[in-house]
Amino acid sequence: MCGISGIVDLTGAPVPLEPSLRMMKALQHRGPDSQGMFMAPGISLGATRLAIIDSQRGDQPMKNAGKALAVVHNGEIYNHGHLRRTLSRLGYRFSSACDTEVILHAFDAWCESALPRFQGMFSFAIAGAQLGAMSDGRPFLLLARDPVGIKPLYYYRENSWLLFASELRALLASGLIPLRLSPSGLNSYLRSGSVLEPDTLIERIHVLPPGHYLTVRNGKLQTSLFTRLQAESSNFSLDHIHEDVLQWIESAVASQLEGDEPPGIFLSGGLDSAVVASLAAKHHRSVLRTVSLSFDEPQFDEAIGAAETARFLGTNHHSIKVTQEAFLDDLEEVMRSMDQPTVDGVNSWWIAREARRLGIRTALSGLGGDELFAGYATFGKAAAWRHTRALVEGIPEVLRHTGYRGLAFLGGQGRYTSRLADFLTASSFSHPYFVKRSLFGPTQIKALLGGADPVPSRDLRARIESCTRQALQLDPIGEISYLELTHYTLNRLLRDTDMMSMAHGLEVRVPLLDFSLVTRVLGLPGEVKWRSGRNKPLLLRACKDLLPPHLHESRKRPFTFPWEIWLRGPLGREVAASLERSDTNGFLDHRECRRIWHDFSSGRLNWSRPWSIFVLKKWI
């Protein structure tokens, strides 16, 4: 796991050293073990390394024998052993046991067709200046990102420059990018509580989409798809589907245990992390360490359930209590760790810090289980949502907009009228899923921005429409699952986990989002994944024999900090002071921010809206 960065001058002119060094320095928290740089005509690559596999011989950038190619890599290729054996038979020789070297030789052997062969979480860059038929002497670069989008990769293009990095802050550290907020990014943050890909909150900085690669060849840029996240059609028997699912999950967990040191496991009191912990303990020779958070507020505390699971599995368990006072002490550091603002993610920061304090360098998480195995009450509305969407699409557009204006006039500031008004518009966000997941509606966003009405960028609209089309090819349960994976999971859960864990130099792996597992489960019928009143029945039945008894009839319990309580205490005083100050250079309407805090204080809003504004103002 690393931080990667680079600069390309498309004309082949020398790249200045100082911006490259500044970008690399901004990523040191991601890779505290070593750092290195590759320079060639028109190109620089930088890497800061967190050494997980072959710590002695895996430093980056890594170059091939002819030194024409260099690679920097963030992530893990879980099938690198299989690829290594294949490449060895083709005559390639390896000087390390590191998966990064496999990427380098695989590209040399198969060029872009190597990309679908990689199984794992990754973003990487391969560069060179003299590549025979592939280049005219100007720099060559390939950027690639895994098909689930577990590892991030940001880039910026201006005239003859292309800059890329694992984090937004590294691009800004170059000093070559104007600091201008993106109206589309700001709009999507206020809608969703996180900025939606491919946009960011900085104008002209974009995210490489999952399953895509970008090439710079002969001075030209091109972005292409190499693998799409979609349901895999397969023959299965309902009588044996639970055995198949267990085998798929077990294979995913087992493949992600490799490393120079035993992994830790994030353990909540719930089902998903218990499944991962149980299978990891089964396949690892060492007694594994599990880590959980606890709170003084009993309605939010899962420590008892986590401890019971740990005893059942025989792990070395550590529970860390997070108090409001401790949170306030670390608030500024938490905010500085946000590469982009998010209404969530603080839990990842805390548990990652405690894991690193225990000496853990790699941790497994149960992230993705709810989205893949239908763990939210939202899935119970899937069929009704599909019917509603069809009805609304049958209404002429002029009548939909008339309804929107009427609802806005009658009370567009209200939570439900605003969401219904949003749904009636024929925008990219008109699927009921996006309305349900919304934080602020369009009328509220316009008020917050002092009358400005930013629209989603063309790239964002195209992505949402593409994901919606893909989702509608599945049954209603699969439809919502696909939207969860490509929207909420991608833009919030995975991004938050990456930036908050890497703030402490910790690698987090997410076996329940293994690409092969995801595509197979997406292809299963919804009736085996959803049953009213049951928590993830398919996952539970598949793994029941591995789990402690208290999880056999468990109910879904969302894991969250006690925000509703804390924002009415000392933390609330700090948030209130921020919302009542006019200190965001005019981007947010001062009166509207104060109104949001007043509505929360009087019980008309929940915690997420004032907290999201506080985070945004801090970030700006």
Side-chain angles (χ1 to χ4, degrees):
M1 190 67 69
C2 305
I4 66 173
S5 60
I7 302 176
V8 178
D9 187 310
L10 304 181
T11 68
V15 171
L17 179 61
E18 283 304 316
S20 302
L21 291 173
R22 288 195 296 267
M23 291 170 68
M24 195 164 62
K25 184 178 180 181
L27 294 171
Q28 281 183 334
H29 56 281
R30 297 183 70 95
D33 296 328
S34 66
Q35 62 183 40
M37 182 169 287
F38 168 83
M39 302 287 291
I43 197 161
S44 72
L45 299 181
T48 62
R49 185 184 182 215
L50 175 64
I52 301 298
I53 299 174
D54 197 350
S55 58
Q56 300 301 313
R57 297 176 295 173
D59 285 349
Q60 301 181 35
M62 193 172 282
K63 297 181 280 292
N64 66 353
K67 302 193 184 301
L69 288 175
V71 63
V72 290
H73 168 219
N74 171 31
E76 301 290 346
I77 306 297
Y78 299 129
N79 66 330
H80 72 97
H82 168 74
L83 293 173
R84 181 185 302 271
R85 291 187 292 274
T86 302
L87 289 163
S88 295
R89 288 193 293 269
L90 295 177
Y92 287 90
R93 296 294 175 260
F94 291 84
S95 59
S96 76
C98 189
D99 56 341
T100 302
E101 190 174 10
V102 171
I103 296 174
L104 190 63
H105 291 324
F107 182 79
D108 188 66
W110 302 307
C111 297
E112 287 93 331
S113 63
L115 297 174
R117 299 172 185 249
F118 298 133
Q119 298 170 16
M121 55 178 191
F122 57 82
S123 61
F124 61 78
I126 294 177
Q130 302 294 330
L131 299 176
M134 289 196 294
S135 176
D136 63 356
R138 286 182 286 185
F140 169 84
L141 175 76
L142 179 140
L143 305 176
R145 187 181 181 204
D146 70 78
V148 179
I150 301 170
K151 304 315 298 178
L153 192 57
Y154 300 91
Y155 68 94
Y156 171 85
R157 165 77 189 278
E158 177 70 27
N159 298 324
S160 64
W161 292 95
L162 174 73
L163 288 77
F164 67 89
S166 296
E167 294 187 4
L168 192 76
R169 77 186 80 208
L171 291 174
L172 298 180
S174 70
L176 302 175
I177 298 175
L179 284 170
R180 293 196 297 263
L181 281 182
S182 160
S184 178
L186 188 60
N187 179 35
S188 70
Y189 172 79
L190 292 171
R191 277 182 175 270
S192 304
S194 58
V195 184
L196 304 185
E197 297 187 6
D199 291 346
T200 71
L201 207 47
I202 298 297
E203 187 93 325
R204 302 194 67 174
I205 295 181
H206 302 285
V207 189
L208 184 66
H212 282 70
Y213 65 99
L214 182 153
T215 55
V216 176
R217 185 181 275 121
N218 301 329
K220 297 180 181 179
L221 271 68
Q222 181 175 340
T223 301
S224 307
L225 175 74
F226 69 87
T227 302
R228 187 187 302 279
L229 184 67
Q230 58 188 1
E232 179 183 308
S233 299
S234 59
N235 296 322
F236 61 87
S237 166
L238 287 177
D239 294 332
H240 300 286
I241 190 61
H242 306 95
E243 291 92 334
D244 291 340
V245 168
L246 175 57
Q247 182 182 343
W248 301 340
I249 299 173
E250 189 164 359
S251 175
V253 172
S255 72
Q256 299 187 25
L257 294 174
E258 185 180 4
D260 292 352
E261 301 171 7
I265 302 171
F266 293 166
L267 189 64
S268 70
L271 178 61
D272 304 333
S273 62
V275 166
V276 171
S278 175
L279 291 170
K282 176 181 176 181
H283 284 273
H284 207 282
R285 295 184 299 273
S286 304
V287 174
L288 298 179
R289 287 175 289 180
T290 50
V291 188
S292 66
L293 301 180
S294 67
F295 304 102
D296 286 329
E297 296 79 7
Q299 63 270 48
F300 295 92
D301 191 25
E302 296 188 353
I304 294 175
E308 192 172 340
T309 299
R311 281 193 299 272
F312 180 84
L313 299 177
T315 66
N316 182 1
H317 187 59
H318 302 266
S319 180
I320 298 93
K321 180 167 287 187
V322 183
T323 65
Q324 183 172 187
E325 292 72 26
F327 179 79
L328 281 167
D329 288 342
D330 289 312
L331 179 59
E332 290 301 319
E333 189 176 350
V334 171
M335 293 295 119
R336 282 195 298 271
S337 298
M338 289 187 183
D339 190 45
Q340 290 199 82
T342 172
V343 73
D344 212 343
V346 173
N347 54 343
S348 296
W349 187 93
W350 274 86
I351 199 165
R353 185 180 73 169
E354 298 308 323
R356 283 300 276 136
R357 285 179 172 177
L358 293 168
I360 296 170
R361 298 168 66 84
T362 304
L364 271 61
S365 166
L367 190 155
D370 286 324
E371 294 74 26
L372 185 60
F373 289 97
Y376 300 125
T378 303
F379 284 91
K381 302 179 176 68
W385 281 3
R386 177 169 284 193
H387 183 63
T388 301
R389 187 177 188 276
L391 286 175
V392 170
E393 286 190 337
I395 300 173
E397 185 173 340
V398 64
L399 294 181
R400 290 206 302 269
H401 280 277
T402 300
Y404 166 79
R405 289 192 294 271
L407 286 166
F409 175 77
L410 292 172
Q413 299 291 331
R415 177 182 177 187
Y416 296 107
T417 52
S418 179
R419 285 181 171 180
L420 183 56
D422 192 17
F423 182 46
L424 285 172
T425 62
S427 70
S428 301
F429 293 94
S430 62
H431 192 287
Y433 167 81
F434 294 107
V435 179
K436 175 65 176 176
R437 276 289 185 194
S438 68
L439 186 64
F440 293 101
T443 306
Q444 297 162 314
I445 292 172
K446 188 173 182 178
L448 269 168
L449 299 180
D453 193 13
V455 297
S457 69
R458 180 179 62 185
D459 290 340
L460 177 56
R461 290 197 305 270
R463 170 162 177 80
I464 290 174
E465 289 162 3
S466 174
C467 288
T468 302
R469 285 194 302 271
Q470 290 290 321
L472 290 171
Q473 296 177 22
L474 305 173
D475 66 24
I477 297 298
E479 175 184 333
I480 301 306
S481 190
Y482 191 89
L483 292 173
E484 288 280 11
L485 291 165
T486 57
H487 179 71
Y488 176 67
T489 307
L490 175 70
N491 294 297
R492 189 184 299 184
L493 298 183
L494 287 173
R495 185 186 304 155
D496 289 353
T497 297
D498 176 81
M499 70 183 177
M500 294 304 202
S501 61
M502 292 308 292
H504 304 288
L506 176 77
E507 174 180 295
V508 176
R509 300 174 180 177
V510 285
L512 296 183
L513 290 178
D514 173 83
F515 180 70
S516 179
L517 173 64
V518 169
T519 57
R520 287 167 168 170
V521 174
L522 277 175
L524 299 179
E527 59 262 28
V528 303
K529 291 180 279 188
W530 170 260
R531 193 176 308 149
S532 181
R534 298 294 302 277
N535 180 24
K536 288 168 281 199
L538 176 61
L539 180 62
L540 181 60
R541 183 173 172 187
C543 303
K544 188 173 182 179
D545 293 343
L546 305 170
L547 301 172
H550 77 278
L551 289 176
H552 290 182
E553 298 296 331
S554 65
R555 300 285 180 177
K556 169 63 183 170
R557 181 178 178 180
F559 176 74
T560 182
F561 272 39
W563 299 116
E564 195 74 29
I565 297 173
W566 287 4
L567 285 181
R568 301 188 189 280
L571 177 60
R573 290 193 286 274
E574 180 146 355
V575 173
S578 175
L579 266 61
E580 291 178 358
R581 285 196 304 268
S582 180
D583 58 0
T584 52
N585 301 318
F587 287 108
L588 298 178
D589 184 84
H590 176 55
R591 292 167 300 178
E592 188 64 15
C593 291
R594 293 186 66 183
R595 188 194 66 77
I596 288 169
W597 178 255
H598 181 266
D599 285 354
F600 167 75
S601 300
S602 58
R604 290 196 292 271
L605 286 180
N606 74 2
W607 61 269
S608 59
R609 296 187 186 185
W611 176 251
S612 69
I613 298 301
F614 172 76
V615 168
L616 179 62
K617 294 183 74 171
K618 279 278 190 181
W619 191 90
I620 292 175

